[in-house]
Amino acid sequence: MWGNIQKYYSPIIDVLTFGIMIVMIAYVIIHFGKLPDEIPTHFTLSGEADGWSSKGILIGLIVINFHALVLCFVINYFLVVKSENTKDSLQLINIPFVKKEQLTEEQIYLVKQNMAKMLATLNLCLSLLFASIYHAMIQNGLGNQMGLGSSFNVLLILVFIPIFYYSWKAYHVAKTSHS
């Protein structure tokens, strides 16, 4: 499995992604008993808490987070990494203004490599974003912090960087033979 992944991106990205998830589950478990029954669960654009719910919502967030991370990993592994380098393997990858049937095997590989890197990096960024949310909710609930904090805004912007960067790279690779 790791050998297939290494052809497309460093598996360290997946290890970090799931490592962050495990650390945040431990963080929630450690602090869960100390939290009041209601904690801030919704924040304004400026980061101030404006909605409260039961602390049990943290468990729901963990389930959603875990599901999203595993789903993204599975999609990446089976649909991008595990499939052959044929034109059919690009059915789920949309590259505007490119005729996929005209791509060479090398271009297909490079497009898939960029998409695999994008999904893996996006998964890592989402893991960091969820970690920031868990941390803010718990620290707000304990009275140690007010609002989301500045790290959330930075991480939110960070989520979009791999999407634009790797999409541009895949498009550039696909268009090079058509010039």
Side-chain angles (χ1 to χ4, degrees), residues 84-123:
E84 298 295 321
N85 284 333
T86 64
K87 290 164 186 43
D88 291 339
S89 69
L90 294 178
Q91 287 179 344
L92 299 173
I93 299 174
N94 186 17
I95 310 170
F97 311 111
V98 172
K99 294 182 180 179
K100 294 182 211 176
E101 61 275 359
Q102 294 178 356
L103 297 178
T104 65
E105 281 189 31
E106 180 183 357
Q107 287 173 305
I108 292 169
Y109 170 77
L110 292 172
V111 166
K112 286 175 51 179
Q113 183 182 48
N114 281 302
M115 293 297 100
K117 286 178 184 178
M118 178 186 74
L119 280 172
T121 307
L122 182 60
N123 216 13

Side-chain angles (χ1 to χ4, degrees), residues 20-21 23-32 35-36 39-41 43 47 49 55 57-59 61-62 65 126-153 155:
I20 291 167
M21 176 74 195
V23 167
M24 289 319 299
I25 289 172
Y27 184 74
V28 169
I29 290 170
I30 289 168
H31 290 91
F32 195 80
L35 290 170
I39 60 171
T41 56
F43 300 86
K55 65 183 179 179
I57 198 163
L58 289 169
I59 306 304
L61 272 179
I62 287 173
N65 184 200
L126 288 174
S127 189
L128 289 168
L129 190 63
F130 266 96
S132 174
I133 292 169
Y134 294 139
H135 181 264
M137 288 171 65
I138 289 171
Q139 290 304 309
N140 275 267
L142 294 173
N144 297 334
Q145 180 177 321
M146 295 297 288
L148 285 175
S150 59
S151 65
F152 178 79
N153 294 331
L155 290 171

